[in-house]
Amino acid sequence: MTTAEVAEFLRTKERTIYDMVAKQAIPFTRATGKLLFPRRLIEAWLEAQTESPEASALPMPQIYSGSNDPLLDWALRYSKAGLAVRAGDSSRGLDDLAAGEAMLAGLHLFDPVSDTWNVQAVRNVLSSQSFVLVHWARRTQGLLVAPGNPHDAASLRDCVELGLRFALRSEGSGTQRLLDIQLSRSGLSMADLNIVPGTAHTHADLATMIETDAADCGFGIQAASGALGFVPLVQDDQFDLAMSRRAFFEQPIQRLFSFARSPEFVAQAERLGGYDLSDLGTVVWNG
């Protein structure tokens, strides 16, 4: 919806909508420099503002939605948290959380304007005052290449100049957005890449495309490289978990974070590689 349409929908003035955007009190996005308001998120936001003594008693869906992370996927299985995993990306996870269709959402969305991770995206989508953002891990992102790096690629520019077949992640993923930023900083664009058909929906999908020679390289996390070659490019990819304040104290979330303090979990992170767990569990943002 446009500003005029959302104002009509909420039966208020456009000026009020602009004020709410300035205060980040309503879900919105900017596309081609214009303010837009996704109807599904506005409806979910409006429902979240409803005062009801029974609201806190409603059961939450036992679902994790959002970005794919190998260590988190493993922890969700072995922690006995009881959360089902809905495949998606960072943007989808926030949308599902805002719509009440998930208990937990994982994301790593970098905002080049504020030079921060995730907080701006959460403020744009989860505008009510009942959500928190908790840090999971910092990860190393870079180029996944064939074993031994046979083309000796050391940068995105090398991938372009060598004409390497490049596999992409899905458009709404934090990794794909980070690739856009890294290309821009290198004076390149997506049009410069020799992109192969198909989309890697997870980091494992990306690794498989390279292992099966469907692509020469792709942009992903070190933890997914396995026996492949890996060229580090970004050391501080920040992966966080968003949830309601109420959900944070629910058994599934508490089991997950309790398991993340175990020696077994730390050992798995070391085996995968590319993880910095020093701030795991820190509250990054409290709405």
Side-chain angles (χ1 to χ4, degrees):
M1 292 185 285
T2 64
T3 304
E5 289 170 339
V6 78
E8 182 179 357
F9 180 74
L10 297 177
R11 297 185 180 182
T12 189
K13 298 178 181 179
E14 288 187 47
R15 181 69 263 167
T16 301
I17 300 299
Y18 285 119
D19 290 342
M20 294 174 75
V21 167
K23 296 175 182 177
Q24 296 181 337
I26 189 171
F28 69 93
T29 185
R30 293 183 189 274
T32 64
K34 297 180 180 179
L35 285 173
L36 293 175
F37 304 83
R39 177 178 286 272
R40 187 163 71 95
L41 296 185
I42 292 298
E43 290 174 345
W45 168 81
L46 189 61
E47 185 175 345
Q49 312 308 309
T50 303
E51 296 184 12
S52 170
E54 293 82 22
S56 61
L58 295 175
M60 284 184 284
Q62 307 285 287
I63 293 173
Y64 166 81
S65 178
S67 182
N68 162 245
D69 176 70
L71 182 60
L72 177 61
D73 290 348
W74 179 85
L76 286 170
R77 290 196 304 273
Y78 288 95
S79 65
K80 299 180 181 179
L83 293 176
V85 176
R86 176 180 291 170
D89 51 51
S90 294
S91 300
R92 170 68 183 275
L94 284 179
D95 289 350
D96 285 347
L97 189 62
E101 297 175 2
M103 173 181 278
L104 186 66
L107 65 153
H108 62 121
L109 295 171
F110 182 69
D111 176 37
V113 176
S114 61
D115 194 33
T116 60
W117 290 89
N118 303 321
V119 172
Q120 190 60 47
V122 168
R123 284 174 172 167
N124 289 348
V125 178
L126 305 177
S127 57
S128 79
Q129 304 299 304
S130 60
F131 291 94
V132 294
L133 187 65
V134 181
H135 182 64
W136 181 251
R138 286 184 178 83
R139 312 178 303 177
T140 301
Q141 291 253 24
L143 293 174
L144 273 66
V145 296
N149 194 4
H151 301 285
D152 199 28
S155 66
L156 289 170
R157 185 165 293 279
D158 284 348
C159 295
V160 171
E161 293 178 352
L162 294 168
L164 300 185
R165 297 169 300 155
F166 205 99
L168 297 182
R169 291 290 311 281
S170 55
E171 186 175 348
S173 71
T175 294
Q176 186 59 30
R177 293 190 183 188
L178 186 58
L179 172 60
D180 287 335
I181 294 169
Q182 293 300 305
L183 284 169
S184 177
R185 289 177 174 177
S186 300
L188 302 168
S189 70
M190 205 67 67
D192 294 313
L193 297 175
N194 180 17
I195 299 171
V196 301
T199 300
H201 295 286
T202 66
H203 291 287
D205 291 343
L206 177 63
T208 298
M209 292 179 73
I210 299 168
E211 288 168 351
T212 58
D213 197 35
D216 295 316
C217 57
F219 190 71
I221 61 173
Q222 181 180 346
S225 60
L228 294 173
F230 181 75
V231 180
L233 297 179
V234 178
Q235 303 285 348
D236 62 345
D237 176 279
Q238 184 169 321
F239 194 99
D240 297 323
L241 297 173
M243 69 210 78
S244 69
R245 291 175 184 162
R246 173 190 162 201
F248 179 79
F249 296 101
E250 293 288 329
Q251 195 171 69
I253 307 298
Q254 288 299 304
R255 280 181 177 173
L256 176 64
F257 280 105
S258 177
F259 182 72
R261 294 189 290 271
S262 70
E264 182 182 2
F265 175 85
V266 173
Q268 178 66 6
E270 292 176 350
R271 281 192 292 269
L272 290 171
Y275 284 102
D276 176 357
L277 305 177
S278 55
D279 294 322
L280 192 153
T282 301
V283 176
V284 177
W285 176 82
N286 189 337

